[in-house]
Amino acid sequence: MRLRLALCAAPLLAGIYFGWTLAASARRRRELIAAHISALEFIKAEISSRLTPLPDCAARLAAGGPRPLRGFYLALAAALDAPCGRDFASIWGSLLENMELPPDALAVLAELGRSLGRYDAQTQRAAIERAEAGLERILASLRERDASLDRLRVGLSAAAGALAALILY
């Protein structure tokens, strides 16, 4: 009897866990976008007021920037210091490919990568502000959509697990 009960509970728990991981993944994407907005605010201030070079900005963000992005900026700083001959946009783009971001956020950040380090400080500032505005719109949209979807993901997964448990019982 206990074994049968455990076998029935397993699909229910698996369903709940699956729904929870889907919701956690969506939450991670929102946190990454918010971290990028924060990091871009720092880069904008450094470039426009202090004229700080991008490798120095990357190193500072790697040391004390938003926690979810420290590895990203550490890899960026290392790539910028390496004599590989690649331009900033290609380095930035290749590092973005490894991030768990929605396609529209990746497009906004890739577009920014084509402007950073290439133009004067005011033009870079304008590009950063456009990217921040785009990321904020995407983040607001995700928050609105995911507020109801997170509950739905967990609920449907739990219901599927409960249905599997009923079939097994």
Side-chain angles (χ1 to χ4, degrees), residues 13-66:
L13 294 175
I16 292 170
Y17 178 75
F18 179 72
W20 181 82
T21 57
L22 287 175
S25 177
R27 186 172 47 254
R28 248 188 332 275
R29 284 191 294 276
R30 291 189 307 266
E31 289 170 356
L32 272 175
I33 293 172
H36 272 291
I37 293 168
S38 175
L40 291 179
E41 192 64 36
F42 173 80
I43 293 172
K44 180 175 68 175
E46 288 293 313
I47 288 176
S48 62
S49 65
R50 295 183 181 184
L51 302 176
T52 305
L54 282 173
D56 294 347
C57 288
R60 288 182 187 161
L61 285 166

Side-chain angles (χ1 to χ4, degrees), residues 73-83:
Y73 282 105
L74 183 64
L76 180 63
L80 291 174
D81 286 341

